[in-house]
Amino acid sequence: NVIDPLVVIDKYGADAFRFPLAALAAQGRDIRLSEERIEGYRYFCNKLWNAYRFLAPHLGRGAPLSPGQRPAPADLADRWILSRLQEVVGSVTEALEAFRFKEGASALYQFVWHEYCDWYLEMAKRRLTEGEGPGAGAARAVLAPVLEPVLRLLHPIMPFITEEIWQRLPHAGESIMIAPYPRTRRTQQDPEAERAMTAVMDVVTAVRNIRGEMRIAPGVALTTTLR
């Protein structure tokens, strides 16, 4: 069509151009590519970069993890995000092996934007304000160990921003290009945490919807009765 790749890459970036090509690559489908779609995925690049900026001040604080070591979280949110990561690793790997690029890209988009950023980072903020408390330490121990493998999952689709952020995170090796592709860790799977967290998310979403319907200002404290 009339999209000039060089012009679009110069305007929105190569990663923002590559991602919709993968996310829209369904078998037997003609892609209706537009600058509006590409601009939308540039917001995803910004979301990923802002996630790194959020956790950057907390890198290197607390006891460092040895190579290959994984945190043993006690908080429900930590257990949930680590379990969800394993689900995403499995689903993305399966999609790529079957050449279903759309499904792999969609799974990564959903996880990064709607689970890691919109839910986990927001829930971690409260604990990180504790400074050196146990809750803050547990959150810091999970933030980067979740984002780092997500960058390796995203790298085939978005090679530039993932390399840039990966180099700034604790890592092993010279480049994300030659880093091992993530594998599912069954020990991190936690169906109980996922069920419990789903209930929490449903309650929070319901309260937000009621606030919107009743036009209650976000700063107004509410007493909530849960049945």
Side-chain angles (χ1 to χ4, degrees), residues 26-67:
Q27 189 173 14
R29 174 183 180 182
D30 293 332
I31 298 177
R32 294 184 177 274
L33 198 59
S34 65
E35 286 199 27
E36 288 75 14
R37 286 184 183 272
I38 298 168
E39 184 178 19
Y41 284 100
R42 184 176 64 176
Y43 297 144
F44 179 74
C45 296
N46 293 341
K47 195 80 168 179
L48 193 64
W49 183 256
N50 287 335
Y52 161 72
R53 290 183 60 192
F54 169 76
L55 66 89
H58 305 285
L59 295 176
R61 297 178 61 183
L65 297 176
S66 60

Side-chain angles (χ1 to χ4, degrees), residues 104-145:
S106 297
L108 285 166
Y109 185 95
Q110 171 70 24
F111 178 79
V112 171
W113 192 301
H114 298 295
E115 295 181 322
Y116 184 73
C117 293
D118 283 359
W119 283 99
Y120 182 71
L121 293 189
E122 291 300 320
M123 298 183 78
K125 284 180 182 179
R126 175 184 55 83
R127 289 184 289 151
L128 290 172
T129 58
E130 299 175 3
E132 297 304 324
R140 285 196 297 269
V142 172
L143 284 167

Side-chain angles (χ1 to χ4, degrees), residues 139-165:
R140 285 196 297 269
V142 172
L143 284 167
V146 171
L147 182 60
E148 191 273 337
V150 167
L151 295 175
R152 285 184 277 143
L153 289 171
L154 278 166
H155 183 68
I157 305 174
M158 305 171 67
F160 299 103
I161 190 172
T162 52
E163 179 76 75
E164 181 69 23
I165 298 175

Side-chain angles (χ1 to χ4, degrees), residues 70-99:
R70 289 295 183 270
D75 189 90
L76 173 62
D78 298 337
R79 293 166 49 206
W80 168 73
I81 198 65
L82 287 169
S83 183
R84 290 296 306 141
L85 172 64
Q86 305 316 310
E87 177 67 25
V88 170
V89 170
S91 61
V92 172
T93 301
E94 181 180 349
L96 293 184
E97 289 177 346
F99 300 99

